[in-house]
Amino acid sequence: MPLANTTASYGSVARALHWLTALLILAAVALALYMQGLPQGTDAEVARVSALYSVHKTIGLAAFATAIVRILWALIQPKPAALHPERRAETFAAEAVHWSLYAAMVVMPVSGWLFHAATDGFAPILWPFGQSLPFVPKSPALAMTFRAIHGLSAKLLYASFALHVLGALKHGLIDRDGTMGRMISGRALSAGPRPSPSRWPALAALVLWAALVSVPVALPPPAARPAAPAPAAAGGNWTVSQGTLAITVRQSQAAIPGSITGWSAAIAYDDQARTGTVLVTIPLARLTIGSVTPQALGPEFLDAARFPTATFRATIAEAGGRLTATGPLSLHGREVPVSLPFTLDIRGDHATMSGQLTLDRRDFGIGANFRDETTVAFPVTIDVTLMAVRK
Ligand code: HEM
Ligand code: HEM
């Protein structure tokens, strides 16, 4: 069995490397798609997803190592000639797709690796060589860029792979020209001497990949509009004696509960007229939300270092038979009008209120790099209950 290629056949090394990279890449993709849909509600579920991510990363790096060997081997080998060089468009498409697959073999694992190196902690690569890269700082913004490249590249990989397999099927089922046999068993098939290779297919693939990678690099996370300064919380004729401000986000299908302490509310309410005003001031650094508190407060989400306080300035009135607090919620540098319907029970000088409100994180530009709901859902539920005493 010849190891090397000829201009009519693939040697056993090229074939083994082709099928090994194909297997590793398809395994990495299958695992990625599977693990993204898994629940992460309990510790055991989070541990399972983390283990699968580790396997994905390790397989991905094995694919990268194989791809490097494959590329080096291809560089010193003759490439078997296209079987129908007279079909110029088909030959161009086949070669452009081969180049695009070569690009995918590099860009996919490298972007995944850089993403991993720029983040902290979760799901280690299963190897003894360390988890960081010396030239990659830990930076959420950088990590999000690499993540976006990884996700976008996957789409181009899918398209290239689909065209590649369709081409192979066409050769097998319509042309019946033995191309599959050439890659499976190493059969020699010749269409005469190989015409001098054209640079255009490689260039087309390169331009496509360069354009794709430059999109996330060129598009930084959208800058938030500066918020109106938060007015001081003061006044009112009710004093809040206790209360909870609960927040629920959904991550990978599982509800993650959290809460914020240390908030204050200045309430002026006339229980005869059933109208009033309220100013709620919320120190975001006092949020805790399970194991994801640091991420939630970090620059990708609430960015509490830049936007430490959220405020809700509302007018209380009856709307549709229910008491509702309506007004601007200032959060993450944006001001969005919201309505909080609530129940109120006043007995003498003691009031108990409770209400619920669902926000869309996109309205506030929160998690702008998480453009879909695969990991973090768009709606965020806020539950408020409080007890107040008349001053
Ligand atoms: C499992 C599905 C796959 C099938 C049926 C398949 C089939 C083939 C066949 C028949 C050829 C030979 C074409 C010729 O003789 O001109 C080929 C070449 C090639 N395939 Fe695949 N392939 C598959 C998966 C992949 C994957 C996942 C990749 C890379 C990501 C890939 C990358 C390539 C490349 C770059 C070539 C050009 C030859 C070379 O430079 O090694 N293939 N494939
Ligand atoms: C050939 C190699 C690889 C392939 C084909 C591949 C493929 C994929 C795919 C298809 C996804 C889902 C993307 C999406 O739907 O947005 C994904 C996600 C991911 N991959 Fe890879 N990957 C590879 C290598 C790596 C490596 C080497 C690492 C890290 C060392 C890595 C880390 C990740 C992570 C952390 C995610 C989750 C991204 C997220 O949270 O959105 N991957 N990968």
Side-chain angles (χ1 to χ4, degrees):
M1 213 183 354
L3 293 178
N5 293 359
T6 67
T7 52
S9 68
Y10 288 104
S12 50
V13 176
R15 281 180 285 126
L17 288 170
H18 173 269
W19 293 115
L20 186 58
T21 25
L23 185 75
L24 290 169
I25 288 178
L26 295 181
V29 170
L31 203 57
L33 298 181
Y34 171 68
M35 68 196 183
Q36 289 197 332
L38 293 177
Q40 291 186 58
T42 63
D43 285 354
E45 284 169 348
V46 171
R48 184 167 64 133
V49 172
S50 165
L52 291 175
Y53 268 94
S54 286
V55 175
H56 169 80
K57 293 173 182 181
T58 312
I59 293 179
L61 286 171
F64 185 42
T66 318
I68 290 177
V69 175
R70 180 171 175 190
I71 289 167
L72 293 175
W73 183 248
L75 287 176
I76 55 166
Q77 290 289 299
K79 190 169 161 44
L83 282 179
H84 313 282
E86 73 289 354
R87 300 183 195 161
R88 300 188 57 168
E90 193 178 303
T91 307
F92 177 92
E95 291 193 352
V97 167
H98 289 166
W99 283 107
S100 175
L101 288 169
Y102 273 118
M105 284 180 233
V106 174
V107 178
M108 283 301 314
V110 168
S111 57
W113 197 0
L114 292 171
F115 171 33
H116 173 81
T119 48
D120 273 317
F122 181 71
I125 302 166
L126 305 173
W127 68 8
F129 308 118
Q131 303 296 328
S132 302
L133 287 170
F135 49 90
V136 181
K138 302 277 177 218
S139 147
L142 204 59
M144 284 309 117
T145 303
F146 293 133
R147 178 188 206 227
I149 294 176
H150 200 61
L152 266 179
S153 303
K155 308 286 182 293
L156 192 46
L157 166 66
Y158 299 156
S160 311
F161 176 69
L163 289 172
H164 186 61
V165 171
L166 282 177
L169 286 176
K170 175 180 179 287
H171 282 293
L173 302 177
I174 300 176
D175 300 340
R176 294 174 186 274
D177 58 9
T179 302
M180 278 299 280
R182 182 151 90 158
M183 195 40 106
I184 293 171
S185 63
R187 227 166 77 194
L189 286 175
S190 173
R194 178 175 164 77
S196 56
S198 157
R199 283 202 196 91
W200 295 110
L203 203 67
L206 189 75
V207 167
L208 202 59
W209 275 92
L212 181 117
V213 169
S214 61
V215 172
V217 173
L219 287 181
R225 197 156 49 85
N237 58 343
W238 292 83
T239 308
V240 176
S241 55
Q242 54 180 297
T244 55
L245 187 53
I247 163 171
T248 309
V249 297
R250 295 193 72 81
Q251 190 186 25
S252 304
Q253 326 294 329
I256 307 196
S259 63
I260 303 179
T261 55
W263 50 275
S264 62
I267 305 169
Y269 182 70
D270 179 343
D271 45 346
Q272 300 306 313
R274 290 173 71 79
T275 57
T277 58
V278 61
L279 167 63
V280 187
T281 308
I282 306 159
L284 292 174
R286 304 285 289 272
L287 166 76
T288 48
I289 181 158
S291 60
V292 293
T293 306
Q295 286 90 333
L297 291 175
E300 289 304 326
F301 289 96
L302 291 169
D303 203 353
R306 254 173 92 200
F307 308 110
T309 311
T311 56
F312 180 38
R313 263 179 290 126
T315 313
I316 300 169
E318 279 200 283
R322 291 199 66 182
L323 279 172
T324 306
T326 309
L329 172 63
S330 162
L331 170 65
H332 195 249
R334 306 224 181 145
E335 231 179 57
V336 176
V338 301
S339 288
L340 169 72
F342 63 90
T343 57
L344 184 64
D345 182 14
I346 298 184
R347 296 183 186 197
D349 290 335
H350 294 269
T352 307
M353 80 70 84
S354 112
Q356 191 185 67
L357 160 72
T358 299
L359 305 173
D360 187 326
R361 64 175 171 83
R362 291 171 297 181
D363 294 345
F364 298 89
I366 293 173
N369 285 318
F370 294 75
R371 291 196 184 89
D372 58 28
E373 301 196 282
T374 327
T375 38
V376 184
F378 298 138
V380 174
T381 313
I382 314 283
D383 282 286
V384 196
T385 53
L386 66 79
M387 289 177 193
V389 186
R390 206 188 297 269
K391 281 183 187 168

